[in-house]
Amino acid sequence: MTSTETLNYRFKNEHPYYFGAYLNMARNNLYLTLAHIADLNNVSHPNGDTEWRRPPLIQKLNQNEQPDTVSKIIEKIDTHLPFVQSFIRSELRYEQKQSNNNAQRLPLPSDYYKIITEIVDVINDLRNFYVHSNHQPIQVKLKTIKWLEHHFDVSIREVAERYQIKDDKLETGLSFLRRRKGKDENPDFKYSFKDRDDNITEKGLAYLICLFLEKSYAFRFLSRIKGFKRSEGFFRYTKEVFSSGAIRIPKPRLKSDFSENALFLDVLNELGRCPRMLYAHLSETDKKEFQVLDEQVENPDDDSISKLVRGTDRFNHFAMRLIDENNLFEKLRFQIDLGTYYFKEGYEKNINGENRIRHLNKRI
């Protein structure tokens, strides 16, 4: 193994401050997002670097208090940090294997606490390593790399669905992004996240950083790294996969969580999106009415288009909010949970070369 194949030597000797600059941005984005969620739930901001690693907001996830507040915090985490759910599923799947349990349990607030504290630590430690000239080398935990690999597999499927890449093309055209070929390692895969010593690689670090960058900055960041230059054919989807399922930084918009007009602004935002089933039948000209091109992306050929599409019917949700928030019935409130309906339970399916026990269910 040459010195350039390891995390420390590759970046330490060549371009550590390039990665340090984007890790600074990644850490700031994570801080802004957690601060935004804290504000929405009337939780104090972290004071200093020590408390920033274990902010009051995240501490609430590890306490058996204020379940309503914890539920709202988790809802916002799922919205702004979508990869956290994927990391949790990876961890629960590992737990299921270790216990030889056929059923996978539902995520708990403590699972969110475990994941977020780990990613806060790793982003902080990596940022300090690449920014400071004298800093001890950082060892990214193998379990964290496993989380990244799981989310990477999920991102490939999401990009394939977004751009309507058929299954046969997924196995052939995007084969260079698939970690496995059947049950074996894919020899064509060029983006391994760990080396033979289970240390995170350049590609693994790049993917981790991209999870905390806006899409335009993720594209700029990747454009200077070997392996992301090609844009012909299916290679144009590489950057899309690396920036899929990333952080959603809060931005000013037509939304208010506290005013009496919040519901109507939410409805307006929803009506501005086209139903997914209708969108699939629109002409290319009409589809452009619901497409937003990211003007900050350097190469517009990278399909950097956001689609204003809604996949679910939320009429019941808004109707119950209207009744509840306007107190139309003085003694009636809506908070109904009928549990999880399993309409197909305990069958085996091969996913990315690995046999898993699957359950088809829907939260009612």
Side-chain angles (χ1 to χ4, degrees):
M1 181 183 299
T2 64
S3 60
T4 56
E5 288 176 335
T6 64
L7 171 66
N8 296 338
Y9 287 101
R10 176 180 292 274
F11 305 134
K12 183 72 172 178
N13 294 340
E14 294 183 16
H15 35 222
Y17 299 115
Y18 180 75
F19 288 83
Y22 282 98
L23 278 163
N24 256 332
M25 185 183 297
R27 189 177 79 152
N28 186 60
N29 289 343
L30 180 57
Y31 176 85
L32 291 175
T33 301
L34 294 179
H36 170 75
I37 298 174
D39 287 339
L40 294 180
N41 292 279
N42 297 319
V43 180
S44 61
H45 288 198
N47 182 20
D49 186 67
T50 302
E51 191 173 284
W52 145 243
R53 288 178 178 262
R54 298 293 181 271
L57 175 76
I58 305 307
Q59 292 288 357
K60 284 189 174 293
L61 297 174
N62 205 36
Q63 301 167 351
N64 295 320
E65 302 172 358
Q66 299 179 306
D68 290 344
T69 300
V70 170
S71 177
K72 292 177 181 178
I73 291 173
I74 289 177
E75 180 183 351
K76 292 300 180 181
I77 290 173
D78 289 341
T79 298
H80 293 287
L81 303 171
F83 54 85
V84 170
Q85 271 193 338
S86 181
F87 287 4
I88 291 175
R89 284 194 294 268
S90 174
E91 191 69 10
L92 293 183
R93 196 180 72 197
Y94 175 77
E95 178 187 290
Q96 180 184 3
K97 283 184 177 181
Q98 294 298 106
S99 61
N100 293 320
N101 195 343
N102 288 333
Q104 189 178 105
R105 67 175 176 82
L106 294 174
L108 300 172
S110 58
D111 296 315
Y112 281 83
Y113 174 84
K114 176 181 178 180
I115 298 295
I116 293 181
T117 52
E118 178 63 31
I119 62 177
V120 167
D121 283 345
V122 74
I123 288 296
N124 266 291
D125 291 340
L126 286 169
R127 177 263 178 193
N128 292 338
F129 174 68
Y130 285 102
V131 169
H132 300 311
S133 59
N134 186 14
H135 197 281
Q136 291 295 321
I138 301 302
Q139 179 71 38
V140 178
K141 296 177 182 178
L142 180 60
K143 69 174 182 180
T144 305
I145 300 176
K146 294 289 186 182
W147 297 345
L148 294 174
E149 290 177 336
H150 176 81
H151 187 61
F152 186 77
D153 295 338
V154 172
S155 297
I156 293 174
R157 294 196 293 271
E158 288 179 349
V159 169
E161 180 180 350
R162 187 187 312 157
Y163 295 104
Q164 300 178 353
I165 302 173
K166 297 181 180 179
D167 290 342
D168 57 335
K169 297 296 184 183
L170 189 61
E171 296 297 331
T172 56
L174 293 182
S175 63
F176 65 99
L177 289 174
R178 304 300 295 270
R179 294 190 302 114
R180 294 184 176 276
K181 200 170 187 178
K183 296 184 178 181
D184 302 320
E185 296 288 336
N186 181 9
D188 298 327
F189 184 56
K190 307 300 182 185
Y191 297 88
S192 180
F193 288 177
K194 64 179 185 293
D195 60 22
R196 295 177 183 177
D197 297 323
D198 290 334
N199 295 317
I200 194 167
T201 62
E202 180 182 55
K203 301 301 189 297
L205 178 60
Y207 186 60
L208 174 62
I209 295 174
C210 284
L211 291 181
F212 299 92
L213 300 179
E214 293 179 279
K215 188 174 183 179
S216 58
Y217 287 102
F219 274 41
R220 294 179 188 179
F221 168 59
L222 294 172
S223 66
R224 298 293 184 88
I225 300 176
K226 183 178 180 181
F228 297 95
K229 299 288 186 181
R230 301 178 66 177
S231 60
E232 75 278 8
F234 285 96
F235 288 101
R236 62 190 173 133
Y237 296 114
T238 306
K239 291 180 184 177
E240 289 288 343
V241 172
F242 268 71
S243 60
S244 180
I247 193 171
R248 295 168 183 161
I249 303 172
K251 294 182 179 179
R253 57 184 235 175
L254 285 176
K255 185 172 181 180
S256 170
D257 289 273
F258 301 107
S259 76
E260 60 183 7
N261 296 321
L263 172 61
F264 301 102
L265 294 176
D266 287 346
V267 170
L268 283 175
N269 281 322
E270 190 74 7
L271 292 176
R273 298 176 178 272
C274 179
R276 188 180 301 277
M277 293 181 64
L278 174 61
Y279 183 85
H281 297 283
L282 294 179
S283 66
E284 292 302 318
T285 301
D286 291 335
K287 284 182 179 180
K288 290 181 180 179
E289 296 293 327
F290 301 97
Q291 295 176 352
V292 180
L293 178 64
D294 191 341
E295 297 178 353
Q296 297 185 43
V297 175
E298 293 181 351
N299 184 1
D301 294 330
D302 281 304
D303 293 324
S304 50
I305 297 175
S306 298
K307 298 178 182 178
L308 299 176
V309 175
R310 47 188 161 102
T312 56
D313 182 359
R314 301 182 65 200
F315 174 79
N316 292 338
H317 165 78
F318 287 119
M320 287 191 289
R321 277 187 60 188
L322 175 66
I323 295 172
D324 200 28
E325 295 179 14
N326 288 275
N327 200 22
L328 299 184
F329 300 106
E330 293 183 1
K331 297 182 180 180
L332 181 63
R333 292 293 179 270
F334 293 95
Q335 189 170 0
I336 303 173
D337 184 358
L338 299 180
T340 303
Y341 172 60
Y342 287 85
F343 48 91
K344 188 169 184 180
E345 187 173 359
Y347 72 99
E348 193 172 275
K349 184 175 181 180
N350 186 281
I351 301 177
N352 293 325
E354 183 178 352
N355 289 328
R356 304 182 194 169
I357 302 298
R358 302 277 290 176
H359 302 273
L360 300 181
N361 59 71
K362 182 177 179 62
R363 193 81 176 180
I364 302 177

